[in-house]
Amino acid sequence: MSDYEAVIGLEIHAQLLTRSKIFCGCSAAFGGAPNTHVCPVCLGFPGALPVLNRSAVDYGIRAAVALGCQINGTSIFARKNYFYPDLPKGYQISQYEQPLAVHGGVDFDGPGGRMHVGITRVHLEEDAGKSLHEGFPDSDRKTYVDFNRSGVPLIEIVTEPDLRDAADAAEFFSQLRTILVWLGVNDGNMEEGSLRCDANVSVRPKGQKALGTKAEVKNLNSFRFLQKALEYEIGRQIDLLAGGGTVVQETRLWDSGSGVTVSMRSKEEAHDYRYFPEPDLPPVLVDESRVATIRAAMPELPAARRERFTTEFALSAYHAGQLTQSVAAADYFEAVVKAGAAPQSACNWITGTLAAKLNESGTPIERSPIEPARLAGLLKEIDAGSISGSIGKDVFETMYSSGRPAEEIIAADGLKQIDDDSQIAGPMADVLANNQDAVAQYRAGKASTFGFLVGQVMKATRGRANPKRVNELLKKALDA
Ligand SMILES: [Zn+2]
């Protein structure tokens, strides 16, 4: 293995799910015809004054509390000055010296076991507009700009450089996304850019305390890209150092087509932005009662719920993890159990048969055509032995397409399991009479024909015979 180790920290930008923008009343919805969600404030007209959206602060606090941060009683907006065509004011309103929240941390289960990642800070800021390089009449010689995104509220979450491995970083980002979506503060839609990640990465000889020179890889909008970009970048830096070269501090872009990072610009330092307190906005004051109210309204977080599923319902960590991918899945599972299904069967059916069926049509579990209580009804019939598992699958299909309850389908279609030996005896006698070769082979010692004969009896009863009874009765008949 390599004599170097990587040091990775992430900066994650998450769009907050407020209806309006952070400093004006324009819609914060994604899309819309270009430049239709705009006003003098978010277009940066001179003299137009920002007014802070209270909900954006509440969402920011909610996320920061979930990430274990301390909320600052006073935080200050600051101007981050730079020029870019999608930033008409010439500065972005962000937070610098006194952010909304600091000193948090998240425990998560990475590929290499339980890990802790410190959260340095969570701050509020506005998003910039968007340059459009294609799709317009003069796109071959002009760049267009859409300001609908200008002024949309973001939180930036900055981690400590606690990660050492590309796969861990990707897993952490994925679990952070789950938390933000779970809290209802972000929609997790990375394709639309409402969740984006920049990674700071450096390498150093193993055992060395001092950090190496870092590069920042920008705008990684999928977990896979984050992992691949980090793997490439770590390898590149190690090769440089091992070859006697030096790493240059710079901003790099991931080129997913060629699978490499490429230099974009030399990395700017904080002083390049000439941060200063935003004179048009008062300090943000957050008192303890506001934080307490938000904390009290927080849902049970994914990690706690996972833990509870393993203790309360005796599920494996793996299954508990699968059921806590979203609030909706976890709620659905608990509702099925509450309606009387055994937790393990509920888990198996939800993560297996139901998940597969929902995936076929891209239907989220909260819109499942089978309500939790109805699924519980089916599972109770199966667990009580009134229908077999394989008939249960057929009943499930009918429930899914018709929305009818299991009990009704079972009664109407005559699917109830046959436990009565006298009703199995007739079909079994026919099977034995029609398959004398197989019977002779079994009696001559070929045990495998037994399974074939069981199958024939099941077929003759349209799968309704209790397989256990069929086994016992057949054995008795053949061994007689
Ligand atoms: Zn506006």
Side-chain angles (χ1 to χ4, degrees):
M1 247 323 265
S2 150
D3 299 326
Y4 292 89
E5 73 171 355
V7 176
I8 302 162
L10 303 180
E11 293 174 11
I12 289 146
H13 288 90
Q15 180 181 334
L16 300 173
L17 284 172
T18 56
R19 290 211 311 222
S20 55
K21 294 184 178 181
I22 187 168
F23 299 124
C24 62
C26 294
S27 167
F30 177 83
N35 301 308
T36 52
H37 306 162
V38 292
C39 74
V41 173
C42 55
L43 287 173
F45 285 13
L49 292 173
V51 177
L52 180 59
N53 180 338
R54 189 180 166 86
S55 295
V57 181
D58 284 341
Y59 280 123
I61 294 171
R62 193 174 169 91
V65 167
L67 299 176
C69 293
Q70 299 164 19
I71 309 299
N72 280 329
T74 304
S75 63
I76 310 266
F77 282 106
R79 288 190 182 179
K80 180 181 183 182
N81 297 282
Y82 66 93
F83 170 80
Y84 207 74
D86 63 16
L87 188 74
K89 295 195 298 293
Y91 59 87
Q92 177 192 23
I93 303 179
S94 179
Q95 293 186 313
Y96 180 56
E97 278 177 335
Q98 269 175 272
L100 179 70
V102 291
H103 301 319
V106 180
D107 287 321
F108 81 105
D109 293 310
R114 173 80 37 115
M115 303 188 60
H116 180 84
V117 174
I119 303 290
T120 315
R121 56 190 275 144
V122 175
H123 71 243
L124 290 162
E125 62 184 25
E126 60 177 344
D127 207 346
K130 195 173 178 183
S131 297
L132 305 170
H133 302 288
E134 50 196 28
F136 294 93
D138 292 320
S139 282
D140 54 340
R141 56 193 188 88
K142 287 180 183 169
T143 291
Y144 291 72
V145 65
D146 175 11
F147 290 108
N148 285 354
R149 206 179 67 181
S150 170
V152 160
L154 304 178
I155 44 171
E156 180 172 337
I157 301 165
V158 181
T159 78
E160 292 291 305
D162 288 343
L163 293 153
R164 296 287 174 271
D165 177 86
D168 287 345
E171 182 58 29
F172 170 77
F173 184 26
S174 161
Q175 294 197 19
L176 189 68
R177 175 185 179 276
T178 303
I179 292 172
L180 296 174
V181 174
W182 188 282
L183 291 170
V185 301
N186 177 263
D187 66 11
N189 192 327
M190 295 162 75
E191 270 167 32
E192 290 177 358
S194 47
L195 188 65
R196 322 191 274 272
C197 180
D198 304 334
N200 287 303
V201 54
S202 62
V203 299
R204 63 184 172 193
K206 274 191 183 143
Q208 176 183 308
K209 276 245 155 60
L211 294 171
T213 306
K214 69 183 176 186
E216 183 181 28
V217 189
K218 279 274 193 203
N219 276 333
L220 298 159
N221 66 350
S222 84
F223 308 124
R224 203 166 56 86
F225 288 169
L226 171 63
Q227 180 167 346
K228 292 205 163 241
L230 284 173
E231 280 166 358
Y232 175 84
E233 187 57 24
I234 291 165
R236 184 188 73 87
Q237 293 186 14
I238 290 175
D239 287 349
L240 264 176
L241 294 185
T246 50
V247 174
V248 180
Q249 178 159 334
E250 62 184 350
T251 300
R252 298 178 71 86
L253 279 181
W254 169 245
D255 179 343
S256 58
S258 345
V260 299
T261 64
V262 291
S263 179
M264 185 167 99
R265 57 170 187 255
S266 68
K267 167 79 182 166
E268 59 288 334
E269 302 280 351
H271 62 246
D272 294 329
Y273 290 116
R274 301 191 66 86
Y275 280 100
F276 64 87
E278 166 61 63
D280 291 339
L281 285 164
V284 185
L285 304 178
V286 178
D287 57 24
E288 279 175 24
S289 74
R290 183 169 176 190
V291 177
T293 306
I294 291 169
R295 192 186 291 275
M298 297 255 284
E300 184 183 20
L301 290 172
R305 208 160 181 186
R306 257 196 310 278
E307 190 73 31
R308 184 164 63 75
F309 280 9
T310 61
T311 52
E312 193 174 329
F313 303 121
L315 298 179
S316 68
Y318 172 76
H319 277 143
Q322 279 197 308
L323 289 170
T324 50
Q325 298 285 321
S326 70
V327 183
D331 286 350
Y332 189 95
F333 165 75
E334 287 209 68
V336 173
V337 172
K338 203 170 168 207
Q344 191 61 57
S345 333
C347 168
N348 295 346
W349 277 76
I350 292 167
T351 59
T353 312
L354 179 64
K357 194 77 188 169
L358 292 169
N359 275 345
E360 276 174 21
S361 55
T363 308
I365 194 163
E366 56 270 36
R367 291 215 301 275
S368 167
I370 301 182
E371 291 161 22
R374 294 260 162 107
L375 183 62
L378 172 65
L379 302 190
K380 281 190 278 186
E381 296 283 348
I382 297 171
D383 287 342
S386 53
I387 54 169
S388 67
S390 67
I391 291 209
K393 294 249 153 90
D394 296 340
V395 174
F396 173 88
E397 289 292 331
T398 311
M399 288 170 76
Y400 196 94
S401 55
S402 70
R404 288 157 61 205
E407 301 81 341
E408 188 188 306
I409 296 165
I410 293 165
D413 297 359
L415 297 172
K416 254 204 167 10
Q417 180 154 292
I418 304 170
D419 291 313
D420 184 347
D421 290 357
S422 67
Q423 288 183 51
I424 299 173
M428 192 175 81
D430 292 344
V431 166
L432 292 177
N434 295 333
N435 294 279
Q436 288 180 13
D437 286 356
V439 171
Q441 283 171 10
Y442 176 79
R443 286 186 171 140
K446 195 174 171 200
S448 61
T449 56
F450 186 75
F452 165 78
L453 291 167
V454 172
Q456 292 303 303
V457 177
M458 293 306 293
K459 205 170 152 192
T461 58
R462 291 189 298 129
R464 291 161 56 219
N466 179 338
K468 227 169 117 192
R469 292 308 303 145
V470 172
N471 263 279
E472 285 176 23
L473 292 173
L474 252 183
K475 213 155 220 143
K476 224 195 237 168
L478 289 168
D479 292 345

